[in-house]
Every structure is written in C-alpha cells, then in structure tokens.
Amino acid sequence: MGASAGNQGRRSGMGGGQGDSGKGGRGIRVPTRRVAALPLRASAETAPREAAFPSCSRGPAWGTEGLALPEAGRPSRGRARSALRPGNTPMAALARFRNAQVSYLPSAWELLSCPPSPQPPGRGGTPRPGAAMKRTRDEVDATLQIAKLNAAELLPAVHCLGFGPGASGAAAGDFCLLELEPTLCQQLEDGHSLVIRGDKDEQAVLCSKDKTYDLKIADTSNMLLFIPGCKTPDQLKKEDSHCNIIHTEIFGFSNNYWELRRRRPKLKKLKKLLMENPYEGPDSQKEKDSNSSKYTTEDLLDQIQASEEEIMTQLQVLNACKIGGYWRILEFDYEMKLLNHVTQLVDSESWSFSKVPLNTCLQELGPLEPEEMIEHCLKCYGKKYVDEGEVYFELDADKICRAAARMLLQNAVKFNLAEFQEVWQQSVPEGMVTSLDQLKGLALVDRHSRPEIIFLLKVDDLPEDNQERFNSLFSLREKWTEEDIAPYIQDLCGEKQTIGALLTKYSRSSMQNGVKVYNSRRPIS
C-alpha cells in the first residue's frame, strides 16, 4: 500500500489490448478492502523479494492486506489476456497486514514520512534517489515541537523514509495497484486466477471464476510510496518498542491505481462466433469443410469478455453442445427436425410428455439421427430425471410451443394475430396449449394496428449496450407499456437493479388512456 494524504482520484476507463493492460495503481481507502501490487517492468536489479504495503494514513487504520503479484503475461493471438496468479514467479511473495480498526495513538512516522533528502524530488513529482537522512531523537522532538504536536500523544517509534538505491531506476509506471474486494483477494490466496480479457479494440475487463469487472484507472495527486517491511502502528504496539528511530528506504511509487467495478458479462459476441458455423447435421457439406470456424472452450475463454462460469451458463442458454471437441449451435431447421422426431415418437407410443424414456428414444431414433443429437434435443426441451434406475425426460410444453411459434414467425414479416394463434395451436403436439405469455422476448404484438398483428423480435438480436438497446426499442415503437418492454430489458438489470430503475434512467413516463407508457428521453432519428 502506498502512503497518501487521501485525495479522491480522477477515474477514467481503461483501454483494451496488450499495450493498455499495465498502467495504474493506488492504495485502498476503504477499510474492508485489500490491495494487490503488480510489478510490470521490474528488472533483476530492482525487483524486490517482497513488496509490502502497510497502512500509513492518519486516523483510522485501513485494514488491508498487501499481495505482490507477478508480471501480467501476454496471451496468444494478440489478445490482452493476463492471468494474475499468486506464486507463479519468485516476485510473488505474500505480505500480509492485518490492521485492526483503530483508535490508536498515531506513530510519529506518519508525521515525518518525508524527511529531508540529499536530493529533493525532481520535477513532475518523480523522486530522486538518495539515502535517508539519519535523524536523531533530538531532531525528531524538535520537528514535533515546530509542528506543535505533543510527543506523548504519539507512539514512540519513528519511521524516517528516504528514496534508496532501489528507487533509482524506478518510474511511476513500474508498479500498478489494484483494488480488490475481500472475496477476490481470498480467491487469489486460494490459488484461483484473475484474468484480463479483451481484443485490441475492446475496453479491457477483469474476470474472476464467476464475475466480470470493468477496469478503471483512478489518478491521485498524492504520491503513493511502496515501503517493503514497513510496520504498522498496531504491529509496533505489539513489539512494545521504545524511542525507536527506524530508517526505511522507499522501493517504488505510483500516482494512480486500478479500480474494479462489477459489470454484466459481454456475451453477445459468443452467439456471433458460434453462428458463424451452425451445425446442420452429420451429412451436411459444411461438416466436410475443414476450414469452417470452430471454437473450443479455450478459444471462447480467450475471446469472450466474461468469466468461465458466465460463459458456460450462456452456452446452456444458447442450447450449444460439444461436437468433436468444439462448441456448436444447432441450425434452427435441424433442431426442429430433431424435435419433430421426438414429438412424433411420443405421440405414436402414447407416452406422457412428463415421462419420455431416453433409452427407447435412442433405440427408435438412432437409425435416423446420431444418438448424441437426440439426447441433446431432449436436454434442450426437457428436464432429465431417474426413476427406478431408468433415465426419463419431462418435456417442457412452454419451450416446445415457443419453438413452434418461432418457426412460424421467422419467415413472415408480420402475421395477423388471430390467424397466427389458430395456426400456432394446430402446429404444436396434441395436449399442449399455446399462450402469448410463452413468447416474451421472442415476439411482439401490435394491438394498435387493425387487424392486430404479431412479428418476430428476439431479445438476443438487440444491442448489448443499455443506451443503444433503448434507442433501438424506441425507434421501433415510440411508446411502450412496462409489460411490453420488460422482456426486452430484463437482461440489462445489474445486481440489485430493477426494471423500474432502468426505465427511470433511460425513458420518460406519461399517461395514455389511463395506462402508464414510456418514451425516449432524447430524440430518436
């Protein structure tokens, strides 16, 4: 942690790419958080064996832990993907500081942290190296008297700081401070990784095993000093030292830090990559083309700005499956072909949709399609369970009805609502009942037209950015009811954020025929 008077920093977004992933850093001002220091360009001469960043602010102790991390590596394929792992270089020594809450007598080192040096700091805040002045106790007492401070109110130990030889080749960008939540710091200590992801044209994000964070650089006018082995007031109290004068050399410094802010994962690119080469069946000509785009799990982790857990969850939402070691999305017509085989078998065997036996399905439909595709179709449209040692699937009527509606709407620009509902009900398996509630986020009904119409509008085809999403929706329809717009903005809600909060921020409400409606806050071209 660096020594700082505590001005709030100026925050700015961090650019993506290799060249942008190694700038920034400052100590933490929040009592419950921790800090990690990333040496970015440390040579063999200047690299410390340990980097310790103790608390050094007047007033309450910061309650942080210091963690020295290795140099951020560069990924293959030219992407900024750097894994931060404890212990994978000799420089990654763990320095722990457990500073309790305060109400303590401040140490004199806080007041004398910038002793005279043979060479004063250079221009632009860059310190010049020089051995720390050897102060005597009389000099310390004289300084306290000039500052009108009572030595009895301070701890007896005094830290005298100076820029030593280790700082001679240092620059403000040689170290980066990263502000971490306690949970993230604990994950690092448990051996997990934090990964910086992003292509050159993307703003870099940092991903843990299950969350995604924006990286923001916060500048500060105060220089933050890195002091290996410096002891906190609480540690000095435990040692019960008397009238110590401790001369300490400053190893490095920084003028900014990285601040993490939780964000939604950027998953739209995932479907875009997988749709470059959808799976059309084993007999498709495309499957014989070795140049077709295919992606392994590692490829997706390398290109998608999201944590591994978020990516795997989205693959399930997209009904993706692994074929030959590559993640693939089934082409919609082929998916409907598989579903039609299953529903026709259920009908011919007079099975209940809540109890479809897996083994019988594979035996009956195996000659028509690969068994793994039949089982994948059952997983997409049903829930697997075991009864008396036999594997069954309970088919989801809402999913099947929704797929049938998409099949009808994808080839029509607009569909008469009454006619659509009639044809739709006829197209689903007997015993299933269709409802417009099954089409939320898939199709939109226009009840102001005569006759009423319905048309395809998929939420995953809309922009990922909040403002762009609202612009797109308001360009399609000037006024929306909350019921109509909710399915198309639900995925934009962050942690503890509601649809109402989003509407308040990005739209203006009014009453129309006794119904509350929302329109854009800005003109839409």
Side-chain angles (χ1 to χ4, degrees), residues 77 79 81 197-199 202 266 269 273 295 298-306 311:
R77 304 192 179 187
R79 298 181 179 88
R81 181 173 179 239
R197 293 192 172 112
D199 285 336
E202 296 174 325
K266 299 183 178 182
K269 187 177 179 181
L273 293 177
Y295 299 93
E298 186 63 26
D299 293 333
L300 296 179
L301 289 173
D302 196 38
Q303 298 191 48
I304 306 302
Q305 290 186 290
I311 291 175

Side-chain angles (χ1 to χ4, degrees), residues 294-364:
K294 296 178 182 178
Y295 299 93
T296 63
T297 300
E298 186 63 26
D299 293 333
L300 296 179
L301 289 173
D302 196 38
Q303 298 191 48
I304 306 302
Q305 290 186 290
S307 68
E308 182 172 2
E309 185 174 306
E310 290 167 332
I311 291 175
M312 301 309 293
T313 299
Q314 185 65 13
L315 286 171
Q316 293 181 1
V317 172
L318 295 174
N319 289 336
C321 63
K322 266 191 175 181
I323 301 175
Y326 298 96
W327 284 102
R328 309 289 298 275
I329 289 181
L330 302 190
E331 197 272 331
F332 184 66
D333 288 343
Y334 180 63
E335 186 177 318
M336 290 299 96
K337 179 181 177 182
L338 293 173
L339 181 60
N340 189 49
H341 284 323
V342 171
T343 55
Q344 284 185 351
L345 178 62
V346 171
D347 182 65
S348 63
E349 298 290 339
S350 299
W351 292 333
S352 168
F353 283 108
S354 63
K355 196 170 186 178
V356 179
L358 173 62
N359 288 336
T360 306
C361 282
L362 298 181
Q363 292 172 6
E364 295 293 330

Side-chain angles (χ1 to χ4, degrees), residues 195-345:
V195 184
I196 296 174
R197 293 192 172 112
D199 285 336
K200 292 182 178 180
D201 58 344
E202 296 174 325
Q203 180 174 314
V205 300
L206 185 139
C207 301
S208 66
K209 62 180 181 180
D210 59 351
K211 293 181 177 64
T212 304
Y213 299 85
D214 271 329
L215 283 169
K216 300 290 183 180
I217 295 178
D219 295 326
T220 174
S221 59
N222 296 303
M223 184 178 295
L224 304 165
L225 306 179
F226 304 155
I227 308 170
C230 194
K231 296 179 180 178
T232 65
D234 286 342
Q235 290 170 325
L236 291 172
K237 283 181 182 179
K238 292 179 181 179
E239 292 182 1
D240 195 25
S241 57
H242 298 283
C243 299
N244 284 342
I245 296 181
I246 305 171
H247 296 277
T248 307
E249 290 184 350
I250 297 168
F251 176 77
F253 58 95
S254 181
N255 295 319
N256 49 36
Y257 70 102
W258 283 351
E259 181 182 68
L260 300 185
R261 293 185 179 180
R262 180 75 190 278
R263 64 153 297 126
R264 297 191 321 276
K266 299 183 178 182
L267 295 168
K268 192 174 183 66
K269 187 177 179 181
L270 177 59
K271 183 178 180 180
K272 179 181 178 182
L273 293 177
L274 296 181
M275 288 304 294
E276 292 174 356
N277 182 28
Y279 185 71
E280 298 178 359
D283 300 328
S284 171
Q285 183 63 34
K286 290 170 60 177
E287 296 306 308
K288 302 174 184 179
D289 183 6
S290 60
N291 295 324
S292 299
S293 300
K294 296 178 182 178
Y295 299 93
T296 63
T297 300
E298 186 63 26
D299 293 333
L300 296 179
L301 289 173
D302 196 38
Q303 298 191 48
I304 306 302
Q305 290 186 290
S307 68
E308 182 172 2
E309 185 174 306
E310 290 167 332
I311 291 175
M312 301 309 293
T313 299
Q314 185 65 13
L315 286 171
Q316 293 181 1
V317 172
L318 295 174
N319 289 336
C321 63
K322 266 191 175 181
I323 301 175
Y326 298 96
W327 284 102
R328 309 289 298 275
I329 289 181
L330 302 190
E331 197 272 331
F332 184 66
D333 288 343
Y334 180 63
E335 186 177 318
M336 290 299 96
K337 179 181 177 182
L338 293 173
L339 181 60
N340 189 49
H341 284 323
V342 171
T343 55
Q344 284 185 351
L345 178 62

Side-chain angles (χ1 to χ4, degrees), residues 139-181:
E139 291 174 330
V140 171
D141 292 338
T143 304
L144 294 176
Q145 186 176 2
I146 293 172
K148 297 182 179 180
L149 294 171
N150 185 0
E153 296 177 354
L154 307 174
L155 292 178
V158 176
H159 279 272
C160 291
L161 310 182
F163 291 95
S168 60
D174 284 353
F175 284 86
C176 171
L177 295 181
L178 177 64
E179 184 179 88
L180 295 178
E181 298 175 351

Side-chain angles (χ1 to χ4, degrees), residues 417 421 436 445-453 477 484:
L417 179 60
Q421 289 179 298
L436 292 178
V445 175
D446 185 353
R447 299 192 180 278
H448 295 288
S449 65
R450 292 294 180 268
E452 295 177 344
I453 60 172
R477 176 184 289 184
D484 285 344

